[in-house]
Amino acid sequence: MKFLLYGATGYTAGLVIKHAAKFDITPVLAGRNLQKINTLANLHHLDYCTADLNNPEHLDNILKNFKVVLHCAGPFSKTAKQMQSACLRTGVHYLDITGEVEVFEHGIALNEQAIKAKIMIMSGVGFDVVPTDCMALYLKNRLPDATHLQLAFTNINGGISHGTAQTMVEGLGKDGFVRENGKLKAVPVAHKTLDVPFDNNIKTHCMAIPWGDISTAFYTTQIPNIETFTGMPKSGVVFARSGNYLGWLLRSNWVQNLLRKRLNKSLVGPDENTQANAQTRVWGKVTNAKGQSAEARIFGIEAYTLTALTALNVTKKVLEGNLKIGYQTPASAYGQDLILEVEGISREDI
């Protein structure tokens, strides 16, 4: 019941290590930096190895000893393809915690290869996108002829990790996305806003973002029109929209490098107090051609803790042989109630 945890020195991977014993599975720590991996492994009394994604032969030799890899090294747009290719070569099941649309779309393109290799490729086994993917399928089952899906989330009193911030920096100045008539469509960032009832009698201002469900929810439900939103104050929406006019500047190497240096100096991730007190909310709504609709919300724990728990839950299922071959989303493989298997999560209709 061992699995390879790649990117083990990252913030979210640290939470995976912390909670793994609850699931009776054991991570073997892996990453590029020998000193950091060695120190971390000694601290937790775990096995470890070094692995470079740019050294396929070495990576293959390591993966051959495992059934599954949980890939936690972001930004995943720069790391997922190498690890997925290695898993295809070695017959190892692939999981990651991304929320990046392009990574999901690449995984879908690997479906036939994954079937031939008899492996499962599943991205987004964390807060990105387990709660929202389960919500999408739940609403689809309530209104089977739905043509439109809206999903939104917010993180109350939470923070962000270094890895999440790096991914956000990489996305500065780039287009947003929606799913329109079954196709991905580029749109300006924060092109639309929505007031979402995450709680009774309280609505939260949200803006459109290219969340992973633009890809995964379509695969899971086949609903052709999908929009995703996150809670954001109006001042934040104004700032986000400014990137639509300054994209050329925000994408420039010197701005990207400057922001990365600042992140490396200042940002770690939510502390234990934040983890204990923060909460997440997920909301969804589907509508059909007749104007009928169904709406629900999920009440959840802090986002990074939730990511660790859902990732470990899926990892354990795969280790036990509970999986589907080929490309899968969390809900396509494990159903609408996968998210409810995590303690502290509840769902209600609106």
Side-chain angles (χ1 to χ4, degrees):
M1 298 296 284
K2 289 186 177 182
F3 65 97
L4 188 70
L5 178 62
Y6 189 83
T9 59
Y11 177 81
T12 304
L15 295 177
V16 170
I17 295 168
K18 176 182 176 181
H19 293 286
K22 298 176 184 177
F23 293 82
D24 296 319
I25 59 177
T26 304
V28 174
L29 312 186
R32 293 178 301 172
N33 190 305
L34 175 59
Q35 183 177 353
K36 289 183 178 180
I37 288 290
N38 190 344
T39 301
L40 186 65
N42 288 335
L43 177 64
H44 295 283
H45 308 290
L46 294 169
D47 294 335
Y48 71 95
C49 59
T50 56
D52 187 345
L53 293 176
N54 296 315
N55 187 337
E57 183 178 357
H58 184 216
L59 187 58
D60 289 359
N61 286 333
I62 291 170
L63 287 179
K64 288 176 182 177
N65 299 306
F66 298 91
K67 293 181 180 179
V68 58
V69 58
L70 176 57
H71 184 54
C72 293
F76 295 90
S77 59
K78 297 185 180 299
T79 66
K81 291 180 182 179
Q82 297 96 311
M83 184 61 82
Q84 289 170 339
S85 294
C87 287
L88 287 168
R89 291 191 301 267
T90 55
V92 175
H93 303 295
Y94 173 89
L95 307 173
D96 72 34
I97 55 171
T98 191
E100 299 164 65
V101 172
E102 64 182 281
V103 178
F104 291 114
E105 289 295 300
H106 180 72
I108 292 172
L110 297 177
N111 180 55
E112 292 300 323
Q113 295 180 54
I115 292 172
K116 290 180 181 179
K118 298 181 180 180
I119 69 168
M120 182 171 77
I121 292 179
M122 181 184 290
S123 291
V125 297
F127 184 72
D128 315 3
V129 291
V130 174
T132 43
D133 196 42
C134 289
M135 175 65 81
L137 183 57
Y138 176 72
L139 292 172
K140 169 69 173 181
N141 288 336
R142 286 188 60 196
L143 193 66
D145 61 347
T147 57
H148 291 73
L149 167 66
Q150 292 178 317
L151 294 166
F153 68 93
T154 190
N155 196 7
I156 303 170
N157 299 322
I160 64 172
S161 72
H162 181 270
T164 300
Q166 279 190 313
T167 301
M168 292 171 65
V169 166
E170 189 180 77
L172 290 174
K174 295 182 179 179
D175 289 330
F177 285 98
V178 297
R179 180 75 63 170
E180 188 174 285
N181 297 323
K183 304 293 184 180
L184 286 176
K185 178 183 178 181
V187 294
V189 173
H191 74 291
K192 186 175 182 178
T193 60
L194 194 67
D195 291 328
V196 174
F198 289 115
D199 293 282
N200 288 327
N201 304 317
I202 301 175
K203 289 192 175 183
T204 301
H205 196 63
C206 294
M207 72 175 190
I209 62 167
W211 198 243
D213 297 272
I214 297 297
S215 175
T216 54
F218 177 68
Y219 184 91
T220 301
T221 68
Q222 293 300 300
I223 295 174
N225 301 287
I226 302 171
E227 298 172 316
T228 53
F229 300 81
T230 188
M232 184 66 64
K234 293 182 179 180
S235 58
V237 175
V238 172
F239 178 77
R241 285 175 173 169
S242 68
N244 295 322
Y245 307 99
L246 299 173
W248 61 272
L249 177 63
L250 296 173
R251 292 191 300 270
S252 66
N253 288 334
W254 73 270
V255 170
Q256 290 276 313
N257 290 334
L258 175 64
L259 292 173
R260 289 191 190 101
K261 287 179 181 178
R262 293 190 65 178
L263 291 177
N264 290 337
K265 291 180 180 179
S266 62
L267 190 60
V268 178
D271 58 23
E272 289 188 2
N273 183 62
T274 300
Q275 292 172 20
N277 293 290
Q279 298 177 329
T280 53
R281 298 284 188 272
V282 171
W283 168 89
K285 182 178 180 179
V286 288
T287 308
N288 64 13
K290 301 174 184 177
Q292 297 170 319
S293 65
E295 194 173 349
R297 55 192 169 210
I298 289 173
F299 299 87
I301 58 177
E302 189 270 333
Y304 290 98
T305 303
L306 179 56
T307 291
L309 296 178
T310 53
L312 284 163
N313 188 27
V314 173
T315 301
K316 183 175 183 179
K317 291 178 186 296
V318 177
L319 285 169
E320 293 175 338
N322 179 5
L323 58 96
K324 292 183 179 180
I325 296 302
Y327 173 83
Q328 300 292 332
T329 65
S332 72
Y334 300 113
Q336 66 182 31
D337 294 335
L338 174 66
I339 185 61
L340 300 182
E341 295 176 15
V342 177
E343 185 177 357
I345 308 296
S346 61
R347 180 179 61 210
E348 68 177 22
D349 295 334
I350 301 175

